[in-house]
Amino acid sequence: MILGIGTDLANIERIAATLERFGDRFRNRVFTEREQRKAASRKDEAGTYAKRWAAKEACSKALGTGLRMGISWRDMAVSNLATGQPVMHLTGWAAERLAAMTPPGHEALVHVTLTDDHPWAQAFVVIEARMIETDPKQPPA
């Protein structure tokens, strides 16, 4: 079952200007060390940050809160699998919110997709609740 859907569109040039103006103050407020290492390794640093910015905004919307109610930018982080597929990691209040909205007997999965076409970066996040499979050989608790 779908628990939440969020999307966001970020302007790469706006993120580039913010990086130029605020530098590490902006990076450290919004992005985890892992996200910063990823962006630093990319030719299009601002585009990498813009996609992650959009993903965090989209995730906060899928959580049903937006960026309020105690959620922090760094409570949501994007990394990539070896295949390149983006993965959203939640900690802190975002993880607590996800746990609270997940029905008993289910596990929550956060799906994220990113794209960009200069000057735009876009992200979609879908939060799914999947029933936890039980071992038929085990008696119910």
Side-chain angles (χ1 to χ4, degrees), residues 98-131:
L98 181 63
M101 63 191 285
T102 304
H106 289 74
E107 63 180 339
L109 301 164
V110 181
H111 305 280
V112 60
T113 186
L114 309 172
T115 192
D116 65 290
D117 186 6
H118 195 86
W120 300 107
Q122 186 174 33
F124 287 95
V125 171
V126 175
I127 300 175
E128 171 191 9
R130 193 178 290 173
M131 190 172 293

Side-chain angles (χ1 to χ4, degrees), residues 12 15 39 42 70 79 100-102 128 138:
I12 296 168
I15 297 296
R42 292 306 220 8
S79 67
M101 63 191 285
T102 304
E128 171 191 9
Q138 293 291 324

Side-chain angles (χ1 to χ4, degrees), residues 52 78-81 83-88 110-114:
R52 279 148 179 77
V78 178
S79 67
N80 296 85
L81 298 176
T83 61
Q85 178 184 347
V87 179
M88 179 68 72
V110 181
H111 305 280
V112 60
T113 186
L114 309 172

Side-chain angles (χ1 to χ4, degrees), residues 6-102:
T7 187
D8 193 67
L9 185 66
N11 185 290
I12 296 168
E13 293 170 1
R14 180 174 159 246
I15 297 296
T18 302
L19 287 164
E20 188 172 313
R21 182 170 179 199
F22 297 105
D24 285 343
R25 186 171 147 211
F26 172 67
R27 284 180 189 90
N28 294 331
R29 181 175 158 252
V30 177
F31 302 100
T32 65
E33 288 180 27
R34 185 176 188 177
E35 290 172 312
Q36 291 179 46
R37 283 192 307 272
K38 178 72 168 184
S41 74
R42 292 306 220 8
K43 189 166 111 175
D44 183 14
E45 181 181 17
T48 301
Y49 279 127
K51 285 186 278 190
R52 279 148 179 77
W53 172 280
K56 291 168 188 261
E57 285 275 9
C59 185
S60 71
K61 293 170 185 176
L63 288 168
T65 64
L67 285 160
R68 59 182 178 85
M69 296 174 55
I71 199 166
S72 165
W73 287 103
R74 292 171 56 103
D75 285 347
M76 301 167 287
V78 178
S79 67
N80 296 85
L81 298 176
T83 61
Q85 178 184 347
V87 179
M88 179 68 72
H89 306 275
L90 302 181
T91 59
W93 194 90
E96 292 173 19
R97 171 70 181 151
L98 181 63
M101 63 191 285
T102 304

